[in-house]
Amino acid sequence: MDWVYDLFPKLHAAIEGWLRSILPPSIESAGVYIVMGVLSAFLLINVPLILVMVLIYMERRLLGRFQHRLGPNRVGWQGTLQVIADGIKLLTKEDIIPANVDRWVYNLAPVLFAIPVLLVFAVVPFGEEIYLTDLNIGILYIVALTATSTIFVFMAGWASNNKYSLIGAMRSVAQLISYEVPLVLSIVGVVLVVGSLSMREIVDKQSIPFILLQPLGFLVFIVAVSAELNRSPFDLLEAESELVTGYHIEYSGMKFGMFYLVEYIAGLAYSAVITTLFLGGWKGPILPQYVWFVAKVLLVFAVLIWIRATLPRVRIDQIMGFAWKFLFPLALINIFITALEVLLWPEGFPAWLVVVNLGVALGLLVVMQVLFRFPGATRHVVPQALVGRG
Amino acid sequence: MAFRTEPITVNFGPQHPSTHGVFRMRVTFDGEVIVDMEPVFGYLHRGSEKLAEERTYTQVITLTDRLDYVASMSNNLAYVLAVEKLCGINPPERAQYIRVIMAELVRIASHLMGLGFLLNDLGAFATPLMYMFREREKIMDLFEMVCGARITFSYMRIGGVAEDLPPEFYPAMTRFLKEMPGYIDEYEALLRENEILLARTKNVGILQPDKAINGSVSGPNLRGSGVPWDLRRADPYEIYDRFEFDLPLGKVGDTYDRFLVRLEEMRQSVRILNQAMEQIPKGPVRASVPMLVRPPIGDAYAHVEAPKGELGFYVVSDNSIAPYRCKIRSPSFINLTVLRDMVLGWKLADMIVIFGSLDVNMGEVDR
Amino acid sequence: MYGIGIAKGMLVTIKHLFRRTFTVQYPEERLKVYPRYRGQEFVWYEERCTGCATCAKYCPLGIIKIVTHPVGNPAEGFDYYVDVFDIEIARCMFCGLCVEACPYDALFMGTHYEMASYTRQKLVINVDQLKKAKKQPSAFMRPHLLDVKYEEDTSLTPERAGRMWQGRWAGGEKPAPQAPKTEE
Ligand code: SF4
Ligand code: SF4
């Protein structure tokens, strides 16, 4: 059974060896490079897509159970083929382009939307030796890439020429950009401890998962991530009960399918990032590394589903206030504390620091209860000149 | 640098996931802030009042089912009370108890739906709604035992109710009454103290008591504003004076208070049901009234505390087999009149929630 | 502390993960309907029906159409043979007033609920269908049927379905209705 553990490196070596044996020496290195590159790219695009199908199925079933119902269980054994059935349905649906849309932008948005989230997987280490590349600025690369999705959301919202989608797009710009800040700042804590931006090294250095060492950073990060992913309670861009579905309201057929899919790919990507940064990545006993990695990713996503099943949505001014007045200071404090700890114990942290950090995190939540109030009642005085202009 | 911005006008509804049917609001936004709102009614108008003039008195009962279709029993009750007043019929005591039981059960069912959709409007992704539908389903089962239908009951008749309670009703009812308080606690645990919910609803959409009274608002919305007015107390119809129950009152009149009042009213309804099931006497359930009644010339108005507020029927008779005029005072419609005042200056998301907290039913608004 | 209310709610949802679900898998699992269920297929007994059309008159929507012709000896009083008994159940609201009105216990609500159809014409039940249909009447307004348990193929006889027989034919045999005479 040993082959299970290093399946992918062995496979890699085998294919490479086979290629070298059949290619003429003149084009050998170039040929191997190209073929292996294409193969890896193929894997990197398709493995996430397969995992996304698992995620969608999991989300629907789990949501069902959280809501005391069953969820899809008809197509295939226990509904496992439901996602495929949905995909076929979306593919065969009529593709409606509303009359007054900005055609180029409208058609481009769903396609472009998919690119950055797929690129994220290039630096995600699925195992000790299973990764496409080990960028030394890996985590920065991920943050920079995913930040671009704002543009595509806005493209979709603007081009649809629909008021709901426009409002949704406006919200997205405000929300996504605000949440970039705590997102990045909460990563800094991890980076300080590790001393590197490379995803691989972050995993390597995690003798204990950083969720224990950095509870505050984890909290800020997971909240910011659910905002970045437009997931409840921060799903203002789509806000089913307010904006119907927000920015992609005018999309139908597979274009809608793209948005839907990309949202889940992003969910997968961020779950992978959380796993890498805070949960020890592929580390774990007995089972092969990639199994551990996937299991942890699914666990993170299950938590996100659980949150979605419980919480109501926050309002746009509250969401902004939350980012700037709650998460931002917490993230700064986290950086400060971490920096102090790194200075004090450059050789590695004592174990009791885990308890201290947890205590600090909980204490800060209590403090924030006093310092930060959700802007609850903010009724605007309507300028008389505007009343009745509808 | 100052941008010159323009307000945009958005048509909310009639087809929109959270307009509770087919309500349409023409809203003008300045950014996300509402500067103007104009409700547009009538997408569900079926002319119930006019239709009633062409039905016999008994047949009109089927029309009342379709007013507030989540609380048909109350509608039946209000209508038959009006006709009984018109003819001077006194239903037997057991029938009155059965009517009260039905009205309170339907109040729980309606509040469950109202709360569920309010929380859904808040964005709680159907979880509370699913939980509440689960209990509503049990109430629907009880109704199915009693009258054979789950939504359009047509159960009450002039001079009583259609049929006596079937034997299987009693154990099911006892079980329901035992379980229900636990479920209500569960709803409370689910969201009552939730920080996001508090932030979204506390002090949002305040309805001042004087404004509520001026606007003729009734029902939980009025009590949410702290006005102790409940027709079950103020003008005890049927046998409501025999039961002990409290009137839950709000303090501020905000969305949260209306939420709490509904939650608490369900508890009180369970209390009334417990007493009613204890006290219910044996006997006939229907006075001997022919199916074709011919009331004397005159008019009568009867009102009940329906789940949504004061539901009244004004029936005029010209001594024929059909009402000469049947006017329906529907609480949802009148509660909606304060909506514009409540939402101006709030944000888009608040508007949806405030509208949801009024708990209107479009079948009743448009009639 | 922030998060306590949220944590409470999260506990409630996670508890539901381990409870048995409340939903029913419809085509395989069916809930039993209660005896009084006002179901779709009306049950009609030609033996008991006098063709009085009371039901048609009490229907708030006027969707029952009855055509009769007299049979028998005019001197002893006519019987009426029911030629047409159309119930347009596409418009029916299953209020049960027709059943309540029928003085001879000839019309009953049904106990089934699967009559979906692609055309409205198919949703008009005519007299032949009513005659042929399986007779599993509901107990709505017929309290003596409350304890009847239906199997797949039970079909109640007219005698069992009716209450104490006090109609016109209480003493003797009911004459078999004659088929309408067609003139050639
Ligand atoms: S159930 Fe009601 S609507 Fe249907 S046929 Fe009978 S009386 Fe008419
Ligand atoms: S079903 Fe009953 S009411 Fe209708 S015609 Fe026959 S006997 Fe008369």
Side-chain angles (χ1 to χ4, degrees), chain B residues 162-182:
Chain B
E163 283 182 283
D164 203 350
L165 302 175
E168 72 259 29
F169 178 80
Y170 299 95
M173 182 74 174
T174 321
R175 191 156 157 242
F176 172 76
L177 287 178
K178 217 165 57 222
E179 284 174 358
M180 192 62 203

Side-chain angles (χ1 to χ4, degrees), chain C residues 44 49-55 66 85 102-104 106-107:
Chain C
W44 178 69
C49 180
T50 59
C52 66
T54 318
C55 49
I66 296 178
F85 198 107
C102 175
Y104 300 102
L107 191 62

Side-chain angles (χ1 to χ4, degrees), chain A residues 63 65-69 163-164 166-167 171 232-233 235-236 240-244 308-318 369 374-383 386-390, chain B residues 7 9-13 16-18 28 30 32-36 120-127 130-131 134 190-191 194 196-197 199-200 203-204 340-342 344-350 352:
Chain A
L63 262 185
R65 291 311 305 258
F66 277 129
Q67 298 177 349
H68 216 185
R69 57 190 175 85
K163 284 166 184 168
Y164 289 129
L166 187 63
I167 295 175
R171 284 178 171 188
S232 172
D235 53 346
L236 280 113
E240 160 85 12
S241 61
E242 295 156 22
L243 300 178
V244 195
R308 179 177 180 201
T310 316
L311 297 186
R313 186 181 305 124
V314 293
R315 205 171 52 204
I316 182 74
D317 56 327
Q318 291 167 344
Q369 167 103 8
F374 274 115
T378 45
R379 185 173 193 167
H380 292 252
V381 181
V382 179
L386 286 176
V387 174
R389 273 187 55 181
Chain B
T9 305
V10 182
N11 272 311
F12 267 84
H16 185 278
S18 48
T28 310
D30 177 22
E32 288 234 359
V33 179
I34 295 156
V35 294
D36 196 16
N120 211 29
D121 290 349
L122 274 164
F125 201 75
T127 310
M130 287 289 165
Y131 294 173
R134 181 185 61 197
L190 180 62
L191 281 175
N194 190 298
I196 299 175
L197 182 104
R200 282 296 302 277
N203 293 325
V204 172
R340 181 173 185 275
D341 254 9
M342 287 165 80
L344 281 196
W346 290 105
K347 295 208 164 55
L348 159 61
D350 293 325
I352 300 288

